[in-house]
Amino acid sequence: MPEKVDFAERYARGETPWDSGKPSAELLRVLNAEKLTGATVLEIGCGTGTNAIELARRGFHVVAVDVVEQAIVTARDKARAAAVDVDFRVADVLKDDLGGPYDILFDRGVYHCLRTVDLKAFQEFLRRSTRVGSWWLSLAGNAKEETDPGPPVVSEDEIRTELGPLFDIIDLHEFRFTTNKNEFRPLGWSILMRRK
């Protein structure tokens, strides 16, 4: 899967604009509104662990995965320094068994990538890792504003077509991603869903 190589190379070169070092403002908004219920969380594409650590601080049991080993090594170091317990794993959601089902899924920029790699395999992963009532907060690039460089993008119609059969879309709205560059704030979708 070439995406693995690309992301590993980007980490090696330090080209990781998504790694802002701060928890996602959208994740914090949803958590502060107490919209995510349950005890277990699976974060896919966790990068260096900032959001997973925030979830663990709030009392969730967190499994967090990424395909890039360098990111997971950094994430484990950050969790130790923060004195929180997160089960960080190097894993590919399209190929590896991640256990579950989980009460909550979270991704910041994974759905918008994997939908173009193998949508059916990604949908099957979603089916396996959730149960009726499971929550999923996905943050994805918004097709209303394509930026280069920038995240892959998806339209509202594509979201509803690809995810609607398995999930009720509870809240879908626009926001701007926080990156490690103040002037770079790509338009995104915040998609809060619940498994049917």
Side-chain angles (χ1 to χ4, degrees), residues 13-182:
R13 291 192 306 258
E15 294 174 6
T16 55
W18 56 84
D19 192 6
S20 69
K22 295 179 256 183
S24 163
E26 272 303 294
L27 175 62
L28 295 177
R29 182 187 66 77
V30 172
L31 287 171
N32 292 338
E34 299 181 352
K35 292 185 177 183
L36 298 176
T37 55
T40 60
V41 178
L42 173 63
E43 182 184 1
I44 57 175
C46 67
T48 61
T50 303
N51 291 307
I53 289 166
E54 178 65 24
L55 286 159
R57 279 188 179 123
R58 291 176 181 244
F60 293 101
H61 174 74
V62 183
V63 174
V65 303
D66 202 284
V67 294
V68 179
E69 185 171 4
Q70 180 183 341
I72 293 296
V73 168
T74 301
R76 287 176 179 148
D77 290 344
K78 284 168 63 173
R80 268 192 296 279
V84 296
D85 185 31
V86 178
D87 181 358
F88 284 111
R89 304 176 191 173
V90 178
D92 181 337
V93 301
L94 299 181
K95 298 176 183 170
D96 298 322
D97 180 4
L98 303 179
Y102 294 89
D103 299 324
I104 301 163
L105 295 185
F106 173 66
D107 83 281
R108 182 185 183 274
V110 174
Y111 158 60
H112 69 206
C113 288
L114 293 186
R115 62 183 290 276
T116 63
V117 174
D118 190 338
L119 178 60
K120 288 202 183 309
F122 185 64
Q123 289 167 326
E124 184 51 37
F125 152 75
L126 293 169
R127 206 171 273 108
R128 282 192 321 270
S129 60
T130 59
R131 66 171 83 75
V132 173
S134 292
W135 293 95
W136 177 23
L137 177 61
S138 180
L139 307 180
N142 189 322
K144 290 181 182 178
E145 180 184 281
E146 293 195 38
T147 54
D148 185 23
V153 295
V154 59
S155 71
E156 180 175 348
D157 285 346
E158 289 167 326
I159 291 166
R160 293 188 184 281
T161 300
E162 295 169 1
L163 307 179
L166 195 59
F167 290 88
D168 286 319
I169 297 174
I170 307 299
D171 183 31
L172 175 66
H173 71 270
E174 297 177 352
F175 78 105
R176 292 214 171 260
F177 283 101
T178 301
T179 70
N180 63 11
K181 298 175 178 141
N182 287 339

